[in-house]
Structure formats: C-alpha cells, structure tokens
Amino acid sequence: MSVDPDQHILDSVARTAATVPAYRAFLAAHGIDPEKITDAAAFRQLPLTTKTNYHHRYPLPERCRGGDLTNCDLIAVSSGSTGTPTFWPRTAADEAASTRRFAQVLVDGFGAATTRTLAVVCFPLGTWVGGLYTLSCLRALAAQLPLTIVAPGNNKAEILRVIPELGSHVDQVVLLGYPPFLKDVIDTGLRAGVEWSGYSVKLVLAGEVISEQWRDLMALRTGLDPVRDVASLYGTADGGVLGNETPLSVRIRRFLGEHRAGEELFGSRRLPTLLQYDPADRYFESIDGTLAFTADSGVPLIRYHIADDGGVVAHADMLAFCAAHGLDLGAETGPELPFVYVFGRSLHAVSIFGANVIAETVTVGLEQPGVSEWVTGKFVLEVWETADQDRTLRVTVELVPDEPNTPERTRRVAESIRDELLRRNSEYAHYVPPERQLPHVELRPTGDPDYFPIGVKHRYTR
C-alpha cells in the first residue's frame, strides 16, 4: 500500500466536513471542531454515524458533497436490516474502490488477465445494489481484460440458456450471485444435463456466510478448486464492496474451521466469513465486537457503524497466529492487506438468498387474525441447511399454553409469515425463488426448553 491509511482517513474527515453539509452539522451538534481532528487518536473519538442518528436525521441532498444530489450518477436502494428503504447515491468515480476488489478476485485469484472469461451476473437487477453495481464494476474491468459480461440477473432459465451458448467460446465461466441461488442454478443445470466441469466454473458470492462444506459440495458438482475458485465479497449498499476473500484467507478459514484455534481467534464456534481489505479504500474498526468503517462515496461515510458482528486482524498478526497453531502457509502470504471477519447481524436479522429477514416482519405475520389467537408472539428465526446444502428459512413459533399443534395451524402460520414478507420486504420478494418463499414452520409448546426457556431473555434469531 502506497497510501498511509491513518493520513487517508484524516484527509477524508477534513474533506467531508468541508464539503458535506450534513456531516458538518453532525459534528457541530456534538461540539466538535473538525480542524482539531489531526491524528488517529482524535479520529477514534469522533462519534459513530448510523442510519438513525445521521441518515434519518439529515435530508439526502445534504448528505451528498456540495449538498447537491444531482452531482451523483446513480442511486441504489436497500431495505437493509431495518426494513425501511434507504437510498445510496454514488458517482462512477465512487465505484473505483469496489472495482479494485473485483479485480483482486478476477485477476489475482482467477487469472482473468490472461484467460478468456465470461462473467455471468446472477444478482437481481433493478434498484437493488447487487446486480447493477456488479455490472458497472465489471464493465470497467472489461476495458482492460479479455472479459465478456452477460447479465441475466436472477432469471434461472435465462442463465441456463446463455451458459451453454456462450461458455464454449471462453476459457472460464464466472458466476456472480447469492450462494443459495447459485447452488440452485448449478443443481438445476445438472438435472438438465449441463456438464459444469467443461466450463472451468468460478464463483463470486455475496450476502451470506457460507460453510466450507458448501464450498466443497460446489467443488464436487462443478469440478472447481474450493480454495482458488470461490470468492466471497463483503458488500453493502452503504459502502459498495468492502472486502473480498483471497486464496490466502480461504486457506486460513478452512484451517481455522477444523481446529479450536478458530474459536480462540474469533471468540465463537461459529465460522465467520474471513476477507482481506484495503484500508486506503475502506478503513475498518472493531467496536465492541461489531464493525464500523470509513469510506468515500456519493454519501461519504465517517466511522459508519454498520453493526455487523465481526472484527479486524492485522496481516502480520494473522500470519503469526496461524504459524503458532501449526498452519504452514509456505510462500503463499497473499496480499499484504489486513483481514476483516464478518458474522453478520445475528441479533437483528437472518439472510436468505441475499435478502435480510427481520424479526419485526415475522411479528406482523403472527399478529394476523386467525393466527394471533393461539401463538404467544415469541419465535426464533434461523437459516437451516439440508444434507444437500440447500438453505431454507425456518421459523420456530411458541404456542399459547394448552393450544394444540396441528398441520393446519402450521400451514396457516407459514402462509401468514410468507405473505407479510412478500408485502413488506421487496428483497425477499425478488431474491428468493417462489418455490422457496414459504418458510418451514415448527410450532412448539409454551416454555419449550430448546427455543423458549422460561426466565431467559428471548433472542429472535440464531
């Protein structure tokens, strides 16, 4: 890295305070003189910005540079984890940092600088950030690489139509999309006679934490290398692509997932997504086990508390930790960039097919007439994987005391939840295939010790 990250963030604060009316007002409201933010210690004393205290408080134009929304070229929409649509303007220049992350995956990971590549954008197209954002970054790379792009979006039939037609004219096919959707594409293709191993398939993922078993299953079904040919991105509508998996981070993650060293490093038996990031583009901080970042964009973000559970590890510290626990990386030290690990917002939402499902929407489904009379309102949201690695939304619901559990009631709860998700959550309606939209519901008695123990603070997600 040629840029000093600390100086870069100080310059970002000064520029944002000078050119963004909302941030200038935000600092004034907290009694802060931006000219006194002259070192990293002062930067870390700046108040965190959030959707509540910043984006919902100041009008959209005032959060843009010069207070002018029309300086931005494109606007993406995301419901995020709150269920309320949020608008994220950006310019073409703002996409440069995200384009560098795609380049790291495609060029450094997949050899796309010298390999004829077909990139198939399988993220949903429209106002949501995934599809058009990915397409825009890939177009920028296509001017420099032997890269051809096709964008069928999340139209499975169209994806399976274009790959046999176009895949034979290139050396490798890269599918970019949400993990469960890409798995569905691959499985459907296999049933239709698609020989994936003949296309040198690579996968670029976003939106959800995958298991290493999922990665191995995709390797088995397509012939890909699970370490070098699958890369997850950490992307948000708020800041674009924040980080990406590298062969190095995948090797480390696979090792940590098989040893108790992972629990020691991450503080949990859960295995988060482990990525690398460039602090000159996206500067991460760990705040009480959650993440905040600073990034330039159409709406500049300073110490933005995205609230994903996770943390950061310096590159040298990660290599030393791995060596101390018996992982021999040999000469593969990867890019000398720090690591960020991400569990996601486990306390607020679960993610299925890239769509955030929040507890409040499920609550509305349980409050409908014909359902609310015999449920307590307590429930637990989970995403379960079948033995075949298919993901499904599971909702375990607590019954009122002495109310019976019947198949008819289970069906009514599932349909009521689905109907509210389709009505209130545009991501769920457009990302989740129709045949997967009905959640799996299980009704359990009051005080069930596994899901609704009495006297314990209830958590709505697992």
Side-chain angles (χ1 to χ4, degrees):
M1 290 175 297
S2 59
V3 178
D4 176 11
D6 287 344
Q7 187 58 51
H8 182 70
I9 59 171
L10 295 176
D11 293 343
S12 295
V13 171
R15 181 172 178 237
T16 301
T19 62
V20 179
Y23 192 66
R24 191 161 55 247
F26 176 80
L27 292 181
H30 286 83
I32 295 172
D33 180 359
E35 293 187 0
K36 295 183 178 180
I37 310 303
T38 57
D39 56 30
F43 170 81
R44 286 190 288 271
Q45 295 303 311
L46 287 171
L48 299 177
T49 56
T50 66
K51 284 185 179 178
T52 300
N53 72 7
Y54 189 66
H55 297 291
H56 295 169
R57 181 166 296 179
Y58 299 97
L60 181 58
E62 292 185 16
R63 289 182 269 127
C64 300
R65 294 205 184 278
D68 188 355
L69 178 62
T70 60
N71 288 331
C72 296
D73 306 323
L74 190 65
I75 295 177
V77 181
S78 175
S79 67
S81 63
T82 65
T84 302
T86 303
F87 298 93
W88 299 100
R90 65 180 187 273
T91 68
D94 297 328
E95 295 171 354
S98 294
T99 300
R100 286 191 284 273
R101 303 282 68 76
F102 279 101
Q104 192 168 57
V105 169
L106 295 176
V107 176
D108 298 347
F110 300 164
T114 56
T115 305
R116 295 178 303 168
T117 302
L118 175 68
V120 186
V121 179
C122 304
F123 292 109
L125 302 173
T127 58
W128 306 280
V129 69
L132 292 182
Y133 196 97
T134 298
L135 180 60
S136 182
C137 291
L138 292 179
R139 285 292 301 274
L141 289 178
Q144 313 162 32
L145 307 174
L147 174 67
T148 302
I149 309 159
V150 63
N154 60 338
N155 184 327
K156 186 168 59 175
E158 187 67 7
I159 294 168
L160 293 174
R161 187 180 74 84
V162 301
I163 289 176
E165 181 69 26
L166 302 176
S168 60
H169 303 300
V170 296
D171 301 313
Q172 63 181 356
V173 173
V174 179
L175 305 178
L176 303 98
Y178 296 117
F181 181 73
L182 292 187
K183 179 182 181 297
D184 193 21
V185 168
I186 289 167
D187 289 349
T188 303
L190 286 173
R191 290 192 295 269
V194 176
E195 295 185 6
W196 293 108
S197 59
Y199 296 110
S200 187
V201 171
K202 311 291 189 291
L203 302 179
V204 178
L205 316 171
E208 298 180 19
V209 179
I210 63 168
S211 66
E212 290 307 313
Q213 291 78 11
W214 187 97
R215 207 187 304 258
D216 288 338
L217 182 62
M218 294 302 97
L220 180 65
R221 295 185 178 177
T222 65
L224 59 78
D225 180 335
V227 173
R228 306 202 69 86
D229 295 344
V230 182
S232 290
L233 305 175
Y234 180 22
T236 70
D238 320 44
V241 181
L242 307 176
N244 56 277
E245 283 188 328
T246 62
L248 173 64
S249 75
V250 174
R251 280 194 63 192
I252 293 172
R253 184 181 193 255
R254 290 168 75 84
F255 173 80
L256 295 176
E258 296 173 356
H259 300 81
R260 294 192 67 84
E263 184 176 353
E264 178 184 341
L265 181 64
F266 302 130
S268 171
R269 292 187 178 181
R270 297 164 60 205
L271 188 63
T273 303
L274 179 65
L275 317 102
Q276 291 186 269
Y277 71 97
D278 187 342
D281 286 331
R282 304 289 188 259
Y283 186 93
F284 275 104
E285 299 175 82
S286 180
I287 310 291
D288 297 326
T290 61
L291 294 171
F293 69 88
T294 296
D296 199 358
S297 64
V299 173
L301 301 170
I302 305 294
R303 303 201 79 207
Y304 179 65
H305 192 213
I306 196 169
D308 283 338
D309 295 337
V312 295
V313 183
H315 182 265
D317 292 343
M318 178 65 82
L319 297 191
F321 181 89
C322 292
H325 288 81
L327 175 58
D328 182 9
L329 293 168
E332 184 176 25
T333 57
E336 293 188 11
L337 296 172
F339 294 82
V340 59
Y341 59 90
V342 188
F343 291 104
R345 291 173 219 184
S346 60
L347 297 180
H348 308 291
V350 298
S351 182
I352 183 78
F353 282 83
N356 290 320
V357 176
I358 61 172
E360 288 83 350
T361 306
V362 177
T363 296
V364 175
L366 297 178
E367 291 173 344
Q368 300 306 305
V371 172
S372 60
E373 296 85 351
W374 35 267
V375 300
T376 67
K378 282 187 179 181
F379 60 90
V380 175
L381 278 173
E382 300 171 272
V383 175
W384 273 27
E385 281 190 351
T386 67
D388 199 40
Q389 301 291 306
D390 284 321
R391 290 192 172 193
T392 185
L393 178 65
R394 175 186 169 95
V395 188
T396 304
V397 179
E398 185 180 54
L399 288 165
V400 169
D402 301 322
E403 286 289 343
N405 177 356
T406 67
E408 172 62 16
R409 286 186 165 184
T410 299
R411 180 189 63 80
R412 289 169 66 183
V413 170
E415 291 177 347
S416 184
I417 293 172
R418 177 200 59 194
D419 293 346
E420 291 305 318
L421 285 170
L422 294 177
R423 188 164 70 90
R424 297 171 178 271
N425 189 327
S426 64
E427 289 180 342
Y428 191 88
H430 288 85
Y431 291 7
V432 181
E435 67 270 20
R436 302 284 182 85
Q437 290 174 349
L438 187 70
H440 175 85
V441 167
E442 181 175 351
L443 304 180
R444 295 208 175 192
T446 305
D448 178 89
D450 292 332
Y451 280 84
F452 309 109
I454 296 173
V456 176
K457 184 178 180 180
H458 184 62
R459 291 184 59 175
Y460 285 88
T461 60
R462 286 188 180 179

